[in-house]
Amino acid sequence: MIKRFFYIALSAALLFSCSVRLDGTIRSGGQTEVKIRAALEPKTADLIRSLQALMGGAPGGRIIDGPALARSLASAPGISSAVLNNTSSTAVEGNIAISRLDQFLAIAGDSNRRFITWQETGSGGATGGSIKIAIDHDSAPGILALISPDIIGYLEALMAPAATGDRITRAEYLSLVGSFYGKTVADEMAAARIHLSLDFPRPIKQISGGTASGARAVFDIPLVDFLVLETPLVYEVSW
């Protein structure tokens, strides 16, 4: 039981104490290619190595397993392929191909809690389109479970409201993580960000939650905002 607990804790720290960069190109019809780069923060990496040693793990091995993460992602709705390779024991990069954005991480039979709403106007999107990306306390568990069957367990190990349903503030959550995993890990989590850049088929007319330049939208999202969901995360673009 103790070994299983440490495994979950390791996985939680691994998945959610990274800084992540996503660069995507969206084509007409919703086909999308995304390049991913993710690196584990130094103090969190040290914590994981220490816990691995307590569990009898061999020193110097991978902390992030890129191919294993890719296999999990490849089975999620709307993803046609996923390739992730290790650039070091604590970093991965690779590519994900999304066949249709309106199906990406879509919860079957629940259009009211769709992660991505995608629309095009004109034949083949000739006159434009719009996209809305949204996640809140109600939709988060279903969306996260589609990424990986184990992800809810990992998030529960991190006491993340996105999985537990608890309604607490960002400050309260970071204090909780600090008391359990240590202040340095909590500080790294507070500083970690998800940087998302998307190139659209046409110049952007309107954007909410990010900045636009020509046909490119950029979103800079604090990781802890995603874990806590103190307020719903909603991002919209029309072009």
Side-chain angles (χ1 to χ4, degrees), residues 161-224:
T164 66
D166 294 335
R167 305 279 178 163
I168 60 176
T169 67
R170 171 189 172 121
E172 289 170 336
Y173 176 64
L174 289 173
S175 176
L176 183 64
V177 170
S179 66
F180 197 84
Y181 289 103
K183 185 178 183 300
T184 53
V185 173
D187 288 345
E188 286 187 338
M189 185 181 292
R193 307 186 79 82
I194 302 170
H195 181 87
L196 173 62
S197 172
L198 294 173
D199 289 331
F200 288 87
R202 298 169 65 88
I204 293 167
K205 296 178 180 177
Q206 189 171 356
I207 188 169
S208 174
T211 60
S213 176
R216 176 168 294 179
V218 175
F219 304 92
D220 191 42
I221 308 163
L223 178 63
V224 71

Side-chain angles (χ1 to χ4, degrees), residues 20-24 34-37 96 194-198:
V20 181
R21 183 181 179 92
L22 307 168
D23 296 297
V34 180
K35 181 175 183 179
I36 297 178
R37 284 173 283 178
I96 293 176
I194 302 170
H195 181 87
L196 173 62
S197 172
L198 294 173

Side-chain angles (χ1 to χ4, degrees), residues 25-48:
T25 300
I26 299 174
R27 309 192 187 283
S28 180
Q31 292 184 340
T32 304
E33 295 85 41
V34 180
K35 181 175 183 179
I36 297 178
R37 284 173 283 178
L40 195 63
E41 302 296 341
K43 295 299 183 182
T44 301
D46 290 343
L47 169 66
I48 292 174

